Amino acid sequence: MDREKIAAHARGQNMRTQALQKQSAARVLSGKQIAIEHKIERLEKALSSLSKDLNHADTWKNELLKLKTKGTSGFHGSRRDKANDNVDQAIDKLNSWLDAHKENKEVMTKKLRELQDQSQNMHSKVLALNNEATVLFSSAAYFLNM
């Protein structure tokens, strides 16, 4: 009987050690998940700000297009052509800015999705590790109390 109790006690201690290791791993992953959540928050704010800037730039572009004189009223001849050229240059620069920042937005959106998936994956792993630790603690208690 003593050997069985000693073996059960050793098994219980081993399970308890495994449970503590799983809890520790869960805490580490939880810390990493929190760091990722902070990155997600910052990236969401940056994306929101960028979206607003892109919307404003589109509005500016539309307003610039209205400045282009097409009819006979307003500027005539070379003055009209010069004004239209200046508007065209401004629109070209704005289009370049818009294109570059739309690409940035796509990259940021992709990164956001990756971080969200990573966070969800870590959350699932933390839950699984905590569940495994709970089962191990319960089993350990059974063997330690034999």
Side-chain angles (χ1 to χ4, degrees):
M1 276 300 241
D2 270 348
R3 286 185 184 188
E4 288 178 19
K5 280 188 175 186
I6 292 172
H9 191 291
R11 189 169 182 189
Q13 287 292 354
N14 187 26
M15 287 180 167
R16 186 174 181 278
T17 300
Q18 289 176 8
L20 290 170
Q21 289 170 342
K22 292 198 183 279
Q23 274 186 332
S24 177
R27 278 193 299 276
V28 168
L29 274 180
S30 183
K32 289 180 181 180
Q33 182 191 3
I34 289 169
I36 288 174
E37 289 294 328
H38 289 297
K39 287 180 184 178
I40 288 171
E41 287 175 21
R42 288 193 319 264
L43 193 52
E44 285 174 337
K45 286 179 185 176
L47 268 169
S48 175
S49 177
L50 181 57
S51 292
K52 287 176 187 175
D53 290 344
L54 288 171
N55 288 336
H56 289 302
D58 276 330
T59 302
W60 297 335
K61 180 179 164 184
N62 291 332
E63 292 300 317
L64 280 173
L65 286 169
K66 291 177 187 177
L67 291 176
K68 227 173 158 175
T69 58
K70 295 178 184 171
T72 56
S73 63
F75 295 119
H76 297 286
S78 64
R79 288 177 59 202
R80 181 179 67 199
D81 294 341
K82 186 175 180 179
N84 286 342
D85 286 344
N86 287 337
V87 170
D88 287 339
Q89 287 176 5
I91 289 172
D92 288 344
K93 287 181 182 180
L94 190 53
N95 280 334
S96 295
W97 185 90
L98 281 166
D99 291 343
H101 285 76
K102 283 179 183 176
E103 287 177 26
N104 289 342
K105 184 178 176 184
E106 289 173 15
V107 169
M108 290 168 71
T109 302
K110 181 181 175 187
K111 183 64 177 177
L112 178 62
R113 277 190 238 115
E114 289 173 4
L115 288 172
Q116 288 169 332
D117 289 345
Q118 218 176 6
S119 176
Q120 186 66 30
N121 187 4
M122 284 185 175
H123 179 72
S124 297
K125 287 180 182 179
V126 167
L127 288 177
L129 285 168
N130 283 329
N131 288 338
E132 290 172 22
T134 300
V135 169
L136 284 167
F137 275 129
S138 178
S139 297
Y142 171 78
F143 284 110
L144 291 172
N145 292 325
M146 286 184 87

